[in-house]
Amino acid sequence: SSYSSNTTCCSKFNIFEIDKYIQQFEVTNSYGHKEELTDDTRSAIYIDVYKTLNSNNKIIYGMSPARGYETKYAETILKAIYKAQNFYGATNLKAERSKSEVGAVNILLWTGIIGVIITSLIIWRATFFGISKSNNIYIRTLGLYTAFRYCYWWVEDGNIFTTMTLFYWLAIAVCLSSEFRSMNNKEIAEWIRSILK
């Protein structure tokens, strides 16, 4: 056999233990602190949001977008609050992080399990229709794109108003559109040419 004895056919890849697979890489961030790029920075976010929702009894409905979550970085947030109070006279500020880098966690924080389920159902439906119920390759490709973004939503893909987010929800809307799905490849190409004239 050409395989070494250390190779296993069914080994599992754990994204949260990336330092086992690649060399560690340390950088200095914009605040002057050293950071290890292979560190797991997501598990702590999930834990902090869960603890905040659980302590406020808001797991089902969420905290609303007006509230954030208590984090182990509260000391840094408190410093920013004191600075805002001293310079701008801000009052009634809480040591909470309003959002995180993880899109699914933000939805969970703001709208609870109900919001995560509703958002997931919308994306699943768009993905299913885009891939399985389309007559052209373009919408199928958009369906695969929405599926990828949904998976990535659990690790990164924060809820920020950018052209990427706008395109993502546009792709979902197109996948849900029966008119676009019913067109064949030639009709889609002609439609694209017509709007570019």
Side-chain angles (χ1 to χ4, degrees):
S1 173
S2 61
Y3 294 104
S4 68
S5 59
N6 294 334
T7 305
T8 58
C9 68
C10 301
S11 62
K12 294 181 181 177
F13 176 75
N14 186 346
I15 189 68
F16 298 110
E17 295 175 350
I18 196 76
D19 56 327
K20 289 183 178 178
Y21 309 102
I22 62 173
Q23 183 180 354
Q24 292 187 330
F25 191 73
E26 192 175 82
V27 296
T28 303
N29 65 22
S30 57
Y31 299 107
H33 302 111
K34 292 196 179 288
E35 275 187 278
E36 175 53 54
L37 294 183
T38 59
D39 283 348
D40 171 18
T41 59
R42 297 301 181 256
S43 295
I45 293 172
Y46 275 89
I47 291 166
D48 288 341
V49 169
Y50 172 75
K51 284 182 178 177
T52 302
L53 290 171
N54 196 37
S55 66
N56 290 288
N57 199 20
K58 298 280 188 176
I59 291 179
I60 302 296
Y61 300 107
M63 303 280 286
S64 89
R67 292 290 304 276
Y69 65 96
E70 297 155 8
T71 173
K72 65 180 183 177
Y73 303 108
E75 187 179 337
T76 309
I77 295 172
L78 279 170
K79 285 179 185 175
I81 288 172
Y82 294 142
K83 186 176 180 181
Q85 286 173 339
N86 292 335
F87 287 107
Y88 306 110
T91 58
N92 197 25
L93 298 173
K94 299 181 183 298
E96 296 175 341
R97 193 173 177 199
S98 61
K99 64 181 178 180
S100 72
E101 299 86 355
V102 184
V105 169
N106 292 333
I107 299 298
L108 178 63
L109 174 69
W110 298 332
T111 61
I113 291 174
I114 291 174
V116 172
I117 291 171
I118 290 171
T119 305
S120 295
L121 288 173
I122 292 168
I123 298 169
W124 291 344
R125 187 173 174 87
T127 300
F128 172 74
F129 280 137
I131 294 171
S132 303
K133 304 289 183 185
S134 176
N135 291 331
N136 61 76
I137 193 70
Y138 303 105
I139 307 301
R140 287 191 196 119
T141 304
L142 286 179
L144 289 173
Y145 173 72
T146 59
F148 165 75
R149 287 287 299 268
Y150 177 76
C151 294
Y152 196 55
W153 184 60
W154 293 92
V155 180
E156 182 77 23
D157 213 11
N159 309 80
I160 306 167
F161 187 73
T162 61
T163 52
M164 284 292 290
T165 304
L166 187 64
F167 180 77
Y168 177 46
W169 285 100
L170 185 65
I172 289 170
V174 168
C175 287
L176 290 171
S177 167
S178 58
E179 288 83 4
F180 279 111
R181 291 196 321 269
S182 65
M183 297 167 102
N184 59 34
N185 289 342
K186 185 178 179 182
E187 289 171 330
I188 286 277
E190 286 173 0
W191 179 79
I192 291 170
R193 277 195 293 269
S194 73
I195 62 172
L196 294 176
K197 283 183 181 177

